[in-house]
Amino acid sequence: MTDTLKQTNKDPLADPRVTKNEDGSYTVKLNTPAQVVVGDAPMTSVTLKRVNGRGMTAMFDAEGKGSQLEALTLASAKMTGPLADAFMEAVDGNDWTLLVGVASSFLANGQTTGQ
């Protein structure tokens, strides 16, 4: 088994970069800071919260698994509009994979999108 496959089979909540907060949200420390707003400090972490109905609807309305995972994770991070677009351009792929895993953990039965 390759290292990449081993990594995707791990529990994202067990990653040392993930911290559970008192309110049930998770803060994910980014390996690579994401420069989202010019002139502001780069984002070094993202807090993910349970997704509401609007976020779930956006996820199910998105076409393709990648777009569904994007909608789920951005809804969990409470990012919309230009901020969400800038974040998607700036976030490192390795960090993105972890964020998707953590956001997916909020789905009650562990189901991921597209199933």
Side-chain angles (χ1 to χ4, degrees), residues 42-58:
M43 291 178 74
T44 58
S45 66
V46 176
T47 298
L48 301 174
K49 299 179 178 188
R50 294 190 64 79
V51 180
N52 63 17
R54 184 176 308 278
M56 293 299 292
T57 300

Side-chain angles (χ1 to χ4, degrees), residues 35-42:
Q35 184 65 51
V36 178
V37 178
V38 175
D40 284 358

